[in-house]
Amino acid sequence: MTQMDLLGADLERDTAVRAGDEELILRAANAVLAPARPSGVRFRPRSRRRRQVATALVAAALISVSGLAAAVWTGVVPVPFKGRLAEKPHAIIVVRAPLAGLPVAAPVPKVAPEPPVVNVPENVLLSSPRPVRTTPEAAPGASELFRSANAARRGGDVGRARRLYSELIQKYPTSDEARLAQVSLGKLLLAEGKSKEAEREFSQYLAGGQGQLAEEALVSQAQSLERLKRGPEERAAWQRLVSEHPNSVYAAQANERLRALSSGVKSGP
Amino acid sequence: MLRLLRSPEPVQGDRSRGGDAAPGERPPDPLRHLAAAAITGNLDAERTLLVSMGPALLKVVRGVLGSAASDVEDTLQESMVAVHLALPGFRGECTTLHFACRIAVQTAMNARRRAGYRTKHTPNTAPSELAELASLDLSPADLVAAERRREALRQLLHELPDPQAEVLALHVLLGYTVEEVAAATAVPTNTVRSRLRNGLAKLRVRVRSDGALLEAIRGGA
């Protein structure tokens, strides 16, 4: 994978939907539509309300002046909280608040605490905001499988993550994502105590030549071999790490383990 | 992943690609009716609209500022305020989400400039986030490398002229194709292609040079 491809993966990971996002978005939306408060009681952001409005006015003016051409993008639009607005009644005061410098609209009576009755089209998606670009029947590609597997792992669904990584490696064995998935899958297996299967994944990754995660793969391979009590092979893995990656962050750990293995050999019968 | 992509050809019957839209007609916009209701003052509709677009706006803000930035929520709110203010002027020339995301890109870039991100730095990542990211597939060194790559993009967005930065952000953060960026920004396709090519070339240099710097740091430790 090139550095640019890695940047793409970094951005996906960094900007992915996460726990707490729903509350954050609701908070922001409510703050936009919240009523004015008595002087001295200000809602977020406290110290930047005026700058916020000024920035918003500038952005709005730029958009209005430049104009928007007819779009050709026809992706479906996500609504991540489909159904939840109906499930979670809320009491929101929707009296329109005067934003600084803007005309004040007529006050709107309090809305009863029931969910808004606005039908969202059925063809919107719930998951990623990225538009779907494939037909419904098309099999997921390597990058999509990789993203889904990582999301499952982050969400704690280890079984699903393992299945998706395995599917990715099986279906797209020569892809860059499959190479990365080998290390991820191996670590999942190692964490589950399946040292033999884990060691196989790391070996296959390392057999494919120098990769971005070579150091991690060597460390994990050595740890797998330790659990399998295959001392000579474990020593070889640590030695390979030290010789091929002398400046690795794992070098100290490797040297310590090599010393321990040597002591163990010396103290043997 | 980061390549100049062409829009796929519309497939007959494939609504996601506008296959049902006749030439010259607008593509389907699931949020159009919400936007229309919001413009008339329907606050419930506007709230639903903002919440529906929230994940995409948040994605943009995180991409421009970094997910660990302290002002992500504030900037998201600013973006929503900007969308709220711009809605009355929205005439439906593009999809509603497209319209809002472009506002979010500009708002986030302005927020970054205000915050004075003028020098390269690697923001501290919260320990819980590091632990989550490093749990299985990223070493500490990889985490640092990943953040440096993202920071290279953010720094470049900060330094480029607005038109180029906007084009780069829409392509890299939201995955818009050249044609989609051209439609959103009302700029000829060739101009977008040229801006993207220049922007991506500069980004490659930044990312590679930061990677080399990281290796130098590793070697000097």
Side-chain angles (χ1 to χ4, degrees):
Chain A
M1 255 183 174
T2 65
Q3 286 288 322
M4 293 291 280
D5 290 333
L6 286 170
L7 173 59
D10 297 338
L11 289 170
E12 278 293 332
R13 191 167 40 235
D14 195 45
T15 61
V17 175
R18 60 191 71 174
D21 278 358
E22 180 179 354
E23 286 73 23
L24 189 155
I25 290 168
L26 284 169
R27 216 161 38 232
N30 289 339
V32 171
L33 301 176
R37 307 201 182 208
S39 59
V41 180
R42 303 158 76 182
F43 40 82
R44 289 181 63 114
R46 295 207 164 94
S47 60
R48 295 169 56 201
R49 194 73 180 149
R50 280 175 292 182
R51 278 187 290 170
Q52 177 188 77
V53 173
T55 301
L57 285 170
V58 169
L62 283 171
I63 295 292
S64 301
V65 168
S66 64
L68 296 173
V72 298
W73 184 40
T74 57
V76 295
V77 175
V79 178
F81 312 124
K82 180 181 175 182
R84 290 190 202 174
L85 289 174
E87 296 165 16
K88 189 190 288 187
H90 54 271
I92 295 190
I93 300 172
V94 291
V95 175
R96 187 180 285 277
L99 296 175
L102 294 177
V104 180
V108 176
K110 283 188 185 182
V111 176
E114 40 188 292
V117 185
V118 180
N119 292 322
V120 176
E122 288 299 319
N123 63 338
V124 292
L125 293 179
L126 299 178
S127 54
S128 166
R130 190 173 291 277
V132 174
R133 300 180 189 279
T134 59
T135 60
E137 292 75 26
S143 58
E144 208 168 320
L145 276 173
F146 190 56
R147 272 198 300 270
S148 300
N150 288 341
R153 176 183 52 72
R154 279 195 298 272
D157 192 346
V158 175
R160 176 173 156 77
R162 195 161 18 87
R163 281 193 302 275
L164 289 171
Y165 284 133
S166 298
E167 182 182 345
L168 166 60
I169 293 166
Q170 186 188 12
K171 286 185 176 174
Y172 306 99
T174 60
S175 67
D176 291 329
E177 290 86 352
R179 286 215 74 202
L180 291 176
Q182 281 174 323
V183 178
S184 298
L185 176 60
K187 291 195 173 190
L188 280 176
L189 292 166
L190 190 61
E192 291 182 320
K194 298 175 182 173
S195 304
K196 194 172 178 182
E197 293 92 330
E199 195 278 331
R200 193 159 46 230
E201 295 300 329
F202 300 129
S203 289
Q204 287 174 354
Y205 178 87
L206 292 166
Q210 278 297 330
Q212 191 79 7
L213 300 178
E215 294 169 54
E216 285 72 24
L218 280 168
V219 170
S220 300
Q221 183 189 44
Q223 289 169 340
S224 306
L225 292 165
E226 180 184 357
R227 293 187 193 180
L228 292 168
K229 300 191 188 316
R230 285 152 61 176
E233 291 168 89
E234 182 199 348
R235 186 201 314 277
W238 289 120
Q239 285 172 336
R240 182 179 170 186
L241 173 68
V242 172
S243 67
E244 291 182 9
H245 306 278
N247 299 315
S248 169
V249 295
Y250 304 110
Q253 178 186 356
N255 286 323
E256 187 179 338
R257 182 60 189 157
L258 284 168
R259 279 193 293 273
L261 285 170
S262 296
S263 299
V265 170
K266 283 179 184 174
S267 63
Chain B
M1 289 181 197
L2 294 180
R3 306 182 192 91
L4 295 182
L5 302 173
R6 292 186 187 282
S7 286
E9 292 297 321
V11 176
Q12 189 69 24
D14 184 356
R15 287 179 60 83
S16 68
R17 296 181 186 176
D20 288 338
E25 286 186 2
R26 290 178 187 160
D29 182 3
L31 297 178
R32 181 64 54 81
H33 69 288
L34 280 174
I39 289 170
T40 63
N42 185 329
L43 293 178
D44 283 341
E46 185 167 3
R47 183 177 178 282
T48 303
L49 179 67
L50 292 175
V51 169
S52 301
M53 298 189 299
L57 302 181
L58 187 54
K59 185 182 180 83
V60 168
V61 170
R62 280 183 172 144
V64 174
L65 298 183
S67 61
S70 59
D71 50 356
V72 165
E73 183 170 350
D74 287 351
T75 307
L76 172 66
Q77 190 178 328
E78 284 187 36
S79 301
M80 288 186 174
V81 170
V83 169
H84 165 82
L85 294 173
L87 264 180
F90 176 52
R91 290 177 295 278
E93 295 90 347
C94 64
T95 65
T96 309
L97 183 65
H98 217 178
F99 168 78
C101 284
R102 192 180 172 213
I103 292 176
V105 165
Q106 295 185 345
T107 306
M109 290 199 296
N110 287 335
R112 187 178 167 93
R113 290 193 190 97
R114 280 201 314 271
Y117 285 74
R118 293 193 177 278
T119 56
K120 288 187 182 181
H121 72 285
T122 301
N124 289 329
T125 307
S128 57
E129 198 172 308
L130 263 178
E132 195 268 342
L133 289 173
S135 61
L136 287 175
D137 66 355
L138 286 178
S139 68
D142 277 338
L143 281 176
V144 174
E147 180 51 34
R148 291 187 71 90
R149 282 189 289 266
R150 290 192 293 265
E151 182 58 24
L153 169 64
R154 293 193 287 264
Q155 196 66 22
L156 187 62
L157 291 177
H158 175 74
E159 295 172 6
L160 286 174
D162 273 355
Q164 292 185 30
E166 184 183 27
V167 163
L168 189 63
L170 289 173
H171 177 74
V172 172
L173 295 176
L174 294 175
Y176 290 10
T177 64
V178 169
E179 289 78 11
E180 288 163 0
V181 173
T185 57
V187 167
T189 304
N190 286 338
T191 304
V192 169
R193 203 178 296 276
S194 171
R195 288 177 181 172
L196 265 179
R197 191 172 289 117
N198 291 336
L200 289 174
K202 288 177 184 172
L203 183 58
R204 281 189 199 97
V205 170
R206 292 287 181 102
V207 169
R208 282 181 196 153
S209 64
D210 272 357
L213 179 59
L214 180 61
E215 287 302 316
I217 290 172
R218 280 178 175 174

